[in-house]
Amino acid sequence: MSSVAAIKALHPELIQLRRDIHSHPETAFEEQRTSALVAERLQAWGIAVDRSLAKTGVVGTLKGRRPGNQAIALRADMDALHIQERNSFTHRSRHEGKMHACGHDGHTAMLLGAAKHLAENPDFAGTVHFVFQPAEENEGGGRVMVEEGLFDKFPVDMVFGMHNWPDMPAGTFAIRPGPMMAAFDIFEVTVRGKGGHAALPHQAIDPVVMAAQIISALQTIVSRNVHPLDAAVISVTQVHGGDSWNVIPDSVVLRGTARSFKPEVQDAIEPAIQRIISGVTATYGGSCDLRYERRYPATINHEAATQLALAAARAVVGNDQVESNPTPSMGSEDFAFMLQARPGAYIFIGNAPIKGQKPIEGAGLQGMHCMLHNPHYDFNDDILPLGVSYWVQLVKDILPS
Protein backbone atom coordinates (compact mmCIF):
# COMPACT_ATOMS: atom_id res chain seq x y z
CA MET A 1 0.00 0.00 0.00
CA SER A 2 1.33 3.47 -0.88
CA SER A 3 1.88 6.06 1.83
CA VAL A 4 -1.04 8.12 0.50
CA ALA A 5 -3.40 5.15 0.62
CA ALA A 6 -2.10 4.01 4.02
CA ILE A 7 -2.58 7.45 5.56
CA LYS A 8 -6.03 7.76 3.99
CA ALA A 9 -6.94 4.41 5.54
CA LEU A 10 -6.09 5.86 8.97
CA HIS A 11 -8.70 8.60 8.61
CA PRO A 12 -11.60 6.89 10.47
CA GLU A 13 -9.31 6.00 13.37
CA LEU A 14 -7.96 9.56 13.50
CA ILE A 15 -11.47 11.02 13.56
CA GLN A 16 -12.46 8.76 16.44
CA LEU A 17 -9.28 9.62 18.31
CA ARG A 18 -9.59 13.35 17.74
CA ARG A 19 -13.22 13.45 18.84
CA ASP A 20 -12.46 11.38 21.92
CA ILE A 21 -9.81 13.91 22.95
CA HIS A 22 -12.22 16.76 22.18
CA SER A 23 -14.82 15.20 24.47
CA HIS A 24 -12.37 15.07 27.37
CA PRO A 25 -10.54 18.43 27.40
CA GLU A 26 -7.85 18.99 30.01
CA THR A 27 -6.16 22.31 30.73
CA ALA A 28 -2.55 23.22 31.48
CA PHE A 29 -0.48 20.55 33.28
CA GLU A 30 -3.66 18.56 34.02
CA GLU A 31 -3.64 16.52 30.79
CA GLN A 32 -3.54 13.20 32.63
CA ARG A 33 -6.05 11.31 30.49
CA THR A 34 -4.73 12.75 27.24
CA SER A 35 -1.14 12.03 28.22
CA ALA A 36 -2.00 8.44 29.15
CA LEU A 37 -3.89 7.94 25.88
CA VAL A 38 -0.94 9.25 23.86
CA ALA A 39 1.55 7.08 25.74
CA GLU A 40 -0.59 3.96 25.37
CA ARG A 41 -0.97 4.44 21.63
CA LEU A 42 2.75 5.05 21.10
CA GLN A 43 3.72 2.00 23.16
CA ALA A 44 1.21 -0.15 21.28
CA TRP A 45 2.96 0.79 18.05
CA GLY A 46 6.38 -0.15 19.41
CA ILE A 47 7.57 3.40 20.03
CA ALA A 48 9.69 4.08 23.12
CA VAL A 49 7.92 6.44 25.53
CA ASP A 50 9.20 8.93 28.10
CA ARG A 51 6.83 10.71 30.49
CA SER A 52 9.32 12.50 32.73
CA LEU A 53 9.03 16.07 31.43
CA ALA A 54 6.69 18.94 32.34
CA LYS A 55 4.36 16.84 34.52
CA THR A 56 2.19 15.52 31.68
CA GLY A 57 4.53 15.74 28.69
CA VAL A 58 5.11 12.69 26.50
CA VAL A 59 8.03 12.03 24.16
CA GLY A 60 7.99 9.06 21.80
CA THR A 61 11.21 7.97 20.12
CA LEU A 62 11.36 6.01 16.88
CA LYS A 63 14.54 4.95 15.10
CA GLY A 64 14.45 4.26 11.39
CA ARG A 65 15.40 0.84 10.11
CA ARG A 66 18.37 2.37 8.31
CA PRO A 67 21.38 3.76 10.19
CA GLY A 68 21.68 7.51 10.48
CA ASN A 69 22.97 10.11 12.92
CA GLN A 70 20.40 12.83 12.30
CA ALA A 71 17.47 13.35 14.63
CA ILE A 72 14.46 15.65 14.43
CA ALA A 73 11.59 16.47 16.78
CA LEU A 74 7.95 16.88 15.77
CA ARG A 75 5.80 18.68 18.34
CA ALA A 76 2.06 18.81 19.08
CA ASP A 77 0.29 20.55 21.96
CA MET A 78 -2.33 18.71 24.04
CA ASP A 79 -4.04 21.20 26.35
CA ALA A 80 -7.50 22.75 26.19
CA LEU A 81 -8.89 26.13 27.26
CA HIS A 82 -11.10 27.40 30.06
CA ILE A 83 -14.08 28.00 27.77
CA GLN A 84 -17.64 26.71 28.07
CA GLU A 85 -18.38 24.87 24.82
CA ARG A 86 -21.58 25.91 23.02
CA ASN A 87 -21.70 23.16 20.40
CA SER A 88 -24.28 20.39 20.59
CA PHE A 89 -22.70 17.59 18.58
CA THR A 90 -22.09 14.26 20.27
CA HIS A 91 -18.35 14.79 20.77
CA ARG A 92 -18.76 18.11 22.60
CA SER A 93 -16.88 18.65 25.85
CA ARG A 94 -17.95 16.57 28.83
CA HIS A 95 -16.02 18.80 31.23
CA GLU A 96 -17.83 21.91 32.41
CA GLY A 97 -15.97 25.10 31.57
CA LYS A 98 -13.26 23.38 29.52
CA MET A 99 -13.04 23.02 25.76
CA HIS A 100 -10.69 22.25 22.90
CA ALA A 101 -11.26 25.61 21.23
CA CYS A 102 -7.83 25.89 19.60
CA GLY A 103 -7.53 22.56 17.81
CA HIS A 104 -4.94 20.94 20.03
CA ASP A 105 -7.08 17.80 19.86
CA GLY A 106 -6.47 17.78 16.11
CA HIS A 107 -2.77 18.52 16.50
CA THR A 108 -2.39 15.55 18.87
CA ALA A 109 -4.36 13.24 16.58
CA MET A 110 -2.30 14.23 13.52
CA LEU A 111 1.02 13.64 15.22
CA LEU A 112 -0.23 10.30 16.58
CA GLY A 113 -1.26 9.36 13.05
CA ALA A 114 2.20 10.20 11.77
CA ALA A 115 3.78 8.19 14.59
CA LYS A 116 1.68 5.14 13.74
CA HIS A 117 2.42 5.34 10.03
CA LEU A 118 6.14 5.81 10.56
CA ALA A 119 6.26 2.98 13.09
CA GLU A 120 4.68 0.71 10.49
CA ASN A 121 6.90 2.09 7.72
CA PRO A 122 10.24 3.02 9.31
CA ASP A 123 11.97 3.48 5.97
CA PHE A 124 14.14 6.36 7.06
CA ALA A 125 17.65 6.86 8.37
CA GLY A 126 17.93 8.47 11.79
CA THR A 127 15.64 9.20 14.71
CA VAL A 128 12.29 10.93 15.14
CA HIS A 129 11.14 12.24 18.53
CA PHE A 130 7.39 12.83 18.80
CA VAL A 131 6.94 15.58 21.40
CA PHE A 132 3.48 15.89 22.93
CA GLN A 133 3.58 19.08 24.96
CA PRO A 134 1.28 20.20 27.78
CA ALA A 135 0.22 23.71 28.75
CA GLU A 136 0.69 25.73 25.58
CA GLU A 137 -2.13 28.10 26.53
CA ASN A 138 -0.59 30.82 28.74
CA GLU A 139 1.40 28.52 31.04
CA GLY A 140 4.50 27.87 28.94
CA GLY A 141 4.69 24.10 28.82
CA GLY A 142 7.17 24.39 25.96
CA ARG A 143 9.48 26.47 28.13
CA VAL A 144 9.17 23.94 30.95
CA MET A 145 10.04 21.03 28.66
CA VAL A 146 13.14 22.85 27.41
CA GLU A 147 14.22 23.90 30.91
CA GLU A 148 13.78 20.34 32.17
CA GLY A 149 16.16 19.06 29.52
CA LEU A 150 14.06 18.10 26.48
CA PHE A 151 16.91 18.54 24.02
CA ASP A 152 19.54 17.24 26.42
CA LYS A 153 17.64 14.01 26.87
CA PHE A 154 16.54 13.87 23.23
CA PRO A 155 19.19 15.62 21.13
CA VAL A 156 17.91 16.83 17.76
CA ASP A 157 19.21 18.74 14.78
CA MET A 158 15.87 20.48 14.15
CA VAL A 159 12.41 20.81 15.68
CA PHE A 160 9.11 21.41 13.86
CA GLY A 161 5.63 22.50 14.94
CA MET A 162 2.26 22.94 13.26
CA HIS A 163 -0.99 24.77 14.06
CA ASN A 164 -4.36 24.79 12.35
CA TRP A 165 -5.53 28.14 10.97
CA PRO A 166 -9.27 28.77 10.39
CA ASP A 167 -8.55 31.80 8.18
CA MET A 168 -7.00 29.46 5.59
CA PRO A 169 -8.99 26.91 3.55
CA ALA A 170 -8.48 23.21 4.03
CA GLY A 171 -5.84 21.85 1.70
CA THR A 172 -3.42 24.73 2.19
CA PHE A 173 -0.30 25.47 4.23
CA ALA A 174 1.52 28.70 5.07
CA ILE A 175 5.01 29.34 6.40
CA ARG A 176 7.76 31.94 6.14
CA PRO A 177 11.28 32.39 7.49
CA GLY A 178 11.59 34.86 10.33
CA PRO A 179 8.67 35.88 12.55
CA MET A 180 5.54 33.71 12.34
CA MET A 181 3.95 34.75 15.64
CA ALA A 182 4.53 37.55 18.12
CA ALA A 183 6.06 37.78 21.56
CA PHE A 184 3.48 37.66 24.34
CA ASP A 185 3.89 39.94 27.37
CA ILE A 186 1.37 40.81 30.08
CA PHE A 187 1.13 43.83 32.35
CA GLU A 188 -0.78 44.92 35.43
CA VAL A 189 -1.03 48.58 36.42
CA THR A 190 -2.29 49.58 39.85
CA VAL A 191 -3.45 53.21 39.86
CA ARG A 192 -3.72 54.70 43.36
CA GLY A 193 -5.59 57.83 44.31
CA LYS A 194 -7.72 58.97 47.22
CA GLY A 195 -11.24 57.68 47.59
CA GLY A 196 -14.21 59.86 48.43
CA HIS A 197 -17.83 60.75 47.75
CA ALA A 198 -18.71 60.86 44.07
CA ALA A 199 -20.59 64.13 44.68
CA LEU A 200 -17.43 65.73 46.09
CA PRO A 201 -14.68 64.84 43.56
CA HIS A 202 -12.59 67.86 44.55
CA GLN A 203 -11.89 66.19 47.88
CA ALA A 204 -10.66 63.00 46.22
CA ILE A 205 -7.92 61.98 43.80
CA ASP A 206 -9.88 59.97 41.27
CA PRO A 207 -8.07 56.81 40.06
CA VAL A 208 -10.86 56.14 37.54
CA VAL A 209 -10.04 59.34 35.67
CA MET A 210 -6.34 58.53 35.80
CA ALA A 211 -7.00 54.99 34.53
CA ALA A 212 -9.05 56.35 31.64
CA GLN A 213 -6.23 58.69 30.66
CA ILE A 214 -3.71 55.85 30.89
CA ILE A 215 -5.76 53.53 28.66
CA SER A 216 -5.80 56.12 25.91
CA ALA A 217 -2.19 57.22 26.41
CA LEU A 218 -0.83 53.67 26.17
CA GLN A 219 -1.89 53.59 22.52
CA THR A 220 0.65 56.31 21.75
CA ILE A 221 3.45 53.83 22.42
CA VAL A 222 2.66 52.03 19.18
CA SER A 223 1.72 55.15 17.22
CA ARG A 224 4.57 57.38 18.43
CA ASN A 225 7.35 55.25 19.95
CA VAL A 226 7.52 52.27 17.58
CA HIS A 227 8.95 52.63 14.07
CA PRO A 228 6.05 52.86 11.58
CA LEU A 229 7.35 49.81 9.67
CA ASP A 230 7.58 47.68 12.81
CA ALA A 231 4.59 46.06 14.50
CA ALA A 232 3.30 46.09 18.05
CA VAL A 233 -0.01 45.83 19.85
CA ILE A 234 -0.87 47.03 23.35
CA SER A 235 -4.33 46.08 24.56
CA VAL A 236 -5.89 46.83 27.94
CA THR A 237 -8.24 43.90 28.50
CA GLN A 238 -9.30 44.31 32.14
CA VAL A 239 -10.41 47.26 34.27
CA HIS A 240 -11.15 46.63 37.95
CA GLY A 241 -12.15 49.36 40.38
CA GLY A 242 -14.96 50.46 42.63
CA ASP A 243 -18.09 48.69 43.79
CA SER A 244 -20.59 51.47 44.42
CA TRP A 245 -22.56 54.03 42.41
CA ASN A 246 -21.55 56.98 44.51
CA VAL A 247 -18.07 56.20 45.80
CA ILE A 248 -14.80 57.17 44.14
CA PRO A 249 -12.50 54.20 44.85
CA ASP A 250 -9.00 54.37 46.25
CA SER A 251 -7.51 52.39 43.37
CA VAL A 252 -8.10 50.92 39.93
CA VAL A 253 -6.28 47.95 38.41
CA LEU A 254 -5.65 47.68 34.66
CA ARG A 255 -4.44 44.50 32.99
CA GLY A 256 -3.53 43.74 29.42
CA THR A 257 -1.14 42.32 26.89
CA ALA A 258 1.63 43.60 24.66
CA ARG A 259 2.66 41.91 21.40
CA SER A 260 5.69 42.48 19.19
CA PHE A 261 8.03 40.67 16.80
CA LYS A 262 11.42 42.33 17.29
CA PRO A 263 13.35 42.10 20.59
CA GLU A 264 14.19 45.80 20.43
CA VAL A 265 10.50 46.68 20.17
CA GLN A 266 9.69 44.38 23.06
CA ASP A 267 12.49 45.99 25.08
CA ALA A 268 11.01 49.45 24.47
CA ILE A 269 7.44 48.70 25.55
CA GLU A 270 7.93 48.11 29.28
CA PRO A 271 9.79 51.37 30.04
CA ALA A 272 7.32 53.27 27.86
CA ILE A 273 4.39 51.93 29.88
CA GLN A 274 6.16 52.89 33.11
CA ARG A 275 6.89 56.39 31.80
CA ILE A 276 3.26 56.99 30.80
CA ILE A 277 1.61 55.68 33.95
CA SER A 278 4.06 57.55 36.18
CA GLY A 279 3.49 60.77 34.28
CA VAL A 280 -0.30 60.53 34.24
CA THR A 281 -0.64 59.65 37.92
CA ALA A 282 1.84 62.34 38.94
CA THR A 283 -0.15 64.91 36.96
CA TYR A 284 -3.30 64.11 38.94
CA GLY A 285 -1.57 63.67 42.30
CA GLY A 286 -1.79 59.90 42.42
CA SER A 287 0.71 57.05 42.28
CA CYS A 288 1.09 53.74 40.48
CA ASP A 289 2.79 50.36 40.33
CA LEU A 290 3.61 48.28 37.26
CA ARG A 291 3.99 44.51 37.07
CA TYR A 292 5.29 43.42 33.67
CA GLU A 293 5.94 39.81 32.63
CA ARG A 294 7.47 38.47 29.45
CA ARG A 295 5.53 35.25 28.87
CA TYR A 296 6.50 33.98 25.38
CA PRO A 297 9.16 35.21 22.95
CA ALA A 298 8.36 35.69 19.28
CA THR A 299 8.11 32.53 17.19
CA ILE A 300 11.00 32.92 14.74
CA ASN A 301 11.45 30.36 11.96
CA HIS A 302 14.96 29.45 10.84
CA GLU A 303 15.69 29.79 7.13
CA ALA A 304 17.00 26.28 6.34
CA ALA A 305 14.28 24.53 8.35
CA THR A 306 11.61 26.70 6.74
CA GLN A 307 12.75 25.66 3.27
CA LEU A 308 12.49 22.01 4.30
CA ALA A 309 8.99 22.60 5.64
CA LEU A 310 7.99 24.41 2.45
CA ALA A 311 9.22 21.52 0.32
CA ALA A 312 7.32 18.96 2.39
CA ALA A 313 4.09 20.97 2.28
CA ARG A 314 4.38 21.46 -1.48
CA ALA A 315 4.93 17.74 -1.95
CA VAL A 316 1.67 17.07 -0.07
CA VAL A 317 -0.71 19.68 -1.55
CA GLY A 318 1.10 21.24 -4.52
CA ASN A 319 3.02 24.48 -4.96
CA ASP A 320 -0.07 26.66 -5.52
CA GLN A 321 -1.60 25.60 -2.21
CA VAL A 322 1.36 26.72 -0.07
CA GLU A 323 1.78 30.37 0.91
CA SER A 324 5.47 31.13 1.35
CA ASN A 325 5.11 34.69 2.66
CA PRO A 326 2.08 34.84 4.95
CA THR A 327 1.40 37.83 7.17
CA PRO A 328 2.77 37.00 10.64
CA SER A 329 0.19 36.67 13.38
CA MET A 330 0.05 38.81 16.52
CA GLY A 331 -0.96 35.66 18.34
CA SER A 332 1.75 33.86 20.26
CA GLU A 333 3.10 30.34 20.74
CA ASP A 334 5.34 28.78 23.35
CA PHE A 335 6.88 26.67 20.59
CA ALA A 336 9.05 29.79 20.42
CA PHE A 337 11.09 28.43 23.35
CA MET A 338 11.91 25.30 21.35
CA LEU A 339 12.95 27.43 18.38
CA GLN A 340 15.25 29.40 20.66
CA ALA A 341 16.88 26.16 21.77
CA ARG A 342 17.16 24.45 18.35
CA PRO A 343 16.77 25.41 14.69
CA GLY A 344 13.33 24.66 13.32
CA ALA A 345 10.12 25.92 11.77
CA TYR A 346 6.45 26.38 12.59
CA ILE A 347 3.79 25.99 9.89
CA PHE A 348 0.08 26.82 9.59
CA ILE A 349 -2.31 24.24 8.10
CA GLY A 350 -5.62 25.51 6.69
CA ASN A 351 -8.62 24.50 8.77
CA ALA A 352 -11.55 26.31 7.12
CA PRO A 353 -14.14 23.98 5.56
CA ILE A 354 -13.72 23.05 1.95
CA LYS A 355 -15.96 25.20 -0.24
CA GLY A 356 -19.50 23.87 -0.15
CA GLN A 357 -18.92 21.72 2.93
CA LYS A 358 -21.69 21.90 5.51
CA PRO A 359 -20.91 22.61 9.17
CA ILE A 360 -20.83 19.66 11.53
CA GLU A 361 -24.30 18.75 12.72
CA GLY A 362 -25.03 20.34 16.07
CA ALA A 363 -22.21 22.84 15.81
CA GLY A 364 -24.55 25.82 15.90
CA LEU A 365 -24.55 28.72 13.47
CA GLN A 366 -20.80 28.88 13.04
CA GLY A 367 -19.49 25.34 13.40
CA MET A 368 -16.04 24.98 11.88
CA HIS A 369 -16.31 28.42 10.27
CA CYS A 370 -15.39 30.32 13.42
CA MET A 371 -12.13 31.57 14.81
CA LEU A 372 -9.87 29.97 17.39
CA HIS A 373 -10.78 30.36 21.08
CA ASN A 374 -14.48 30.57 20.20
CA PRO A 375 -17.10 28.48 22.06
CA HIS A 376 -18.47 27.25 18.70
CA TYR A 377 -15.08 26.19 17.32
CA ASP A 378 -14.38 22.65 16.19
CA PHE A 379 -11.43 21.13 14.36
CA ASN A 380 -12.07 20.18 10.73
CA ASP A 381 -11.58 16.40 10.60
CA ASP A 382 -11.10 16.50 6.84
CA ILE A 383 -7.57 17.85 7.26
CA LEU A 384 -6.33 15.09 9.58
CA PRO A 385 -4.73 13.04 6.75
CA LEU A 386 -3.08 16.21 5.35
CA GLY A 387 -1.40 16.93 8.67
CA VAL A 388 -0.23 13.32 8.94
CA SER A 389 1.06 13.44 5.36
CA TYR A 390 3.02 16.62 6.04
CA TRP A 391 4.75 15.09 9.06
CA VAL A 392 5.55 11.89 7.18
CA GLN A 393 6.86 13.79 4.15
CA LEU A 394 9.05 15.95 6.38
CA VAL A 395 10.62 12.86 7.92
CA LYS A 396 11.21 11.29 4.51
CA ASP A 397 12.83 14.49 3.22
CA ILE A 398 15.10 15.13 6.18
CA LEU A 399 15.91 11.51 7.08
CA PRO A 400 15.95 9.83 3.67
CA SER A 401 16.40 6.07 3.42
Side-chain angles (χ1 to χ4, degrees), residues 163-179:
H163 203 292
N164 77 97
W165 212 244
D167 290 341
M168 294 165 41
T172 64
F173 289 88
I175 190 170
R176 67 190 300 276

Side-chain angles (χ1 to χ4, degrees), residues 257-389:
T257 182
R259 308 292 175 116
S260 57
F261 294 115
K262 292 183 176 180
E264 58 267 32
V265 175
Q266 186 181 24
D267 290 342
I269 290 174
E270 180 179 355
I273 292 176
Q274 182 67 68
R275 182 177 67 248
I276 286 172
I277 67 172
S278 296
V280 169
T281 54
T283 298
Y284 288 92
S287 62
C288 61
D289 291 320
L290 172 65
R291 178 172 67 89
Y292 194 96
E293 294 182 16
R294 298 193 179 195
R295 288 292 183 92
Y296 297 173
T299 304
I300 308 293
N301 282 341
H302 298 250
E303 177 70 38
T306 300
Q307 295 307 317
L308 291 167
L310 273 169
R314 286 167 175 161
V316 172
V317 296
N319 187 64
D320 293 342
Q321 297 299 102
V322 180
E323 171 59 60
S324 61
N325 190 29
T327 301
S329 169
M330 275 294 175
S332 61
E333 242 288 352
D334 75 345
F335 185 68
F337 291 104
M338 296 189 186
L339 290 177
Q340 286 187 334
R342 293 293 184 276
Y346 185 76
I347 196 168
F348 293 152
I349 181 171
N351 192 46
I354 298 169
K355 190 174 182 180
Q357 178 184 357
K358 295 180 180 180
I360 292 176
E361 183 180 356
L365 297 176
Q366 299 183 77
M368 293 175 293
H369 298 265
C370 64
M371 68 186 74
L372 302 171
H373 293 210
N374 184 289
H376 287 288
Y377 171 88
D378 192 36
F379 191 87
N380 183 357
D381 286 327
D382 283 347
I383 73 169
L384 290 168
L386 286 179
V388 173
S389 297

Side-chain angles (χ1 to χ4, degrees), residues 195-273:
H197 199 295
L200 304 169
H202 61 290
Q203 295 180 355
I205 299 173
D206 194 339
V208 178
V209 172
M210 289 186 281
Q213 295 292 328
I214 287 169
I215 291 170
S216 295
L218 289 179
Q219 301 310 309
T220 65
I221 296 174
V222 175
S223 66
R224 288 297 177 268
N225 297 144
V226 174
H227 192 287
L229 297 182
D230 290 333
V233 170
I234 298 175
S235 295
V236 176
T237 57
Q238 298 181 45
V239 181
H240 301 276
D243 56 10
S244 177
W245 296 101
N246 63 346
V247 176
I248 294 172
D250 282 320
S251 64
V252 171
V253 174
L254 307 176
R255 298 190 182 104
T257 182
R259 308 292 175 116
S260 57
F261 294 115
K262 292 183 176 180
E264 58 267 32
V265 175
Q266 186 181 24
D267 290 342
I269 290 174
E270 180 179 355
I273 292 176

Side-chain angles (χ1 to χ4, degrees), residues 100-170:
H100 272 292
C102 201
H104 297 185
D105 50 345
H107 302 166
T108 299
M110 290 188 293
L111 189 55
L112 280 173
K116 181 176 184 180
H117 179 82
L118 290 166
E120 294 173 347
N121 303 274
D123 297 317
F124 58 91
T127 302
V128 181
H129 299 293
F130 305 97
V131 179
F132 294 87
Q133 179 211 301
E136 188 279 325
E137 299 289 356
N138 298 311
E139 300 304 323
R143 172 185 55 77
V144 175
M145 291 194 87
V146 171
E147 289 178 350
E148 292 185 359
L150 172 64
F151 297 126
D152 298 321
K153 197 167 188 177
F154 306 99
V156 299
D157 299 288
M158 287 179 284
V159 59
F160 295 88
M162 176 165 55
H163 203 292
N164 77 97
W165 212 244
D167 290 341
M168 294 165 41

